[in-house]
Amino acid sequence: MGMISIDGDKCKRDGICVRECPTAIIKLKDKESVPQLMRGGDESCLRCGHCVAVCPHGALSHRDIPLEACPPIEKDLKIGLERVVQLLRSRRSVRLFKDKPVEKEIVQQLIKIARYAPTGSNMQLVEYTVFTDRKKIRQLAGMTVDWMKYIQEKFPGEPTAVYMPMIISAWDMGFDSVLRSAPALIVASAPKENRNGMVDISIALAYLELAALPSGLGTCWAGLLQGALLSWDPLKEAIGLPTGHRHHYPMMIGYAKPKYYRLPERKPPRITFK
Ligand SMILES: Cc1cc2nc3c(=O)[nH]c(=O)nc-3n(C[C@H](O)[C@H](O)[C@H](O)COP(=O)(O)O)c2cc1C
């Protein structure tokens, strides 16, 4: 069997898959025959599944994205713009978490959803290192504070050093403003040589934080940990990313303590149409 198989009885020879394919590797010779994969198409195929998704007749299957593994889009589940906007606007950075662990199964489920985020050339190389042990997370926050103390001492003129004293003194008083005593932490990473890796990580986690909302989970990007993890060896070792991987902004996650009742406005957008 080739990489693409087409059911000749179902196929209407309408050329929809041919026009849709982003790498133009499907061709339609004439109106009688079903579309075919071009020679060498296997190498150029992105495995994006557009050909399977776009066929209204369910005629096309891909070896790596079989038709049976592609459920139909349910019309009843479609949501309107108002709901989309409310979902997006009601997501907040949560910095107060309930004293309740986040189940590994839920994290797994969210990561599975995050896989549907786009990735450059559909590479899908993002991996996730997840911490669900509060003590360990506190240790990571402590190491970030150690890094801040080091930066302050060695490079007092650094612009980032401005907010560090406050965070350090809060920590010394027992308050974790680095990882907010979060019950879980997700560090997404991608291979160093993957050009789009950092963007892919960010988009995946942005999907994940939206997907977390219906379960009452809140998230917050861990900017302070991000900085420390770039250079602080003890932290790198404690996080232990997959070999050859680079991290980008990690994400705290936990059951949100606050409830929000309003949707604050943002700055007006600055747009230039040309
Ligand atoms: C890249 C990035 C890094 C961030 N780092 C932190 C952080 O280290 N600590 C924190 O409390 N919030 C952090 N935030 C959250 C922002 O402060 C927050 O998104 C912003 O104030 C808007 O609030 P909202 O997310 O509730 O809409 C970060 C957000 C982003 C996108």
Side-chain angles (χ1 to χ4, degrees), residues 91-93 95 178 180 220-224 249 252 266:
R91 179 219 51 81
R92 308 293 347 174
S93 290
R95 300 180 179 92
V178 175
R180 303 276 171 180
C220 188
W221 296 87
L224 302 168
Y249 286 72
M252 311 163 216
R266 295 283 204 216

Side-chain angles (χ1 to χ4, degrees), residues 101-104 107 130-137 183-185:
V102 182
E103 304 83 346
K104 284 185 182 161
V107 177
V130 183
F131 296 88
T132 54
D133 175 354
R134 264 202 149 110
K135 264 198 221 140
K136 175 81 184 179
I137 294 168
L185 177 77

Side-chain angles (χ1 to χ4, degrees), residues 2 24 27 78-79 90 106 120 122 147 163 180 200 215 221 237 241 245 247 271:
K27 63 175 180 188
K78 222 173 172 178
I79 52 168
S90 60
I106 291 207
N122 197 31
W147 167 75
Y163 58 81
R180 303 276 171 180
D200 293 350
S215 312
W221 296 87
E237 201 177 308
L241 290 180
H245 269 222
H247 73 288
I271 309 171

Side-chain angles (χ1 to χ4, degrees), residues 3 44 70 165 192-193 214 226 246:
M3 190 177 67
S44 322
C70 303
K192 283 184 180 140
E193 63 278 9
Q226 159 70 16
R246 257 199 314 170

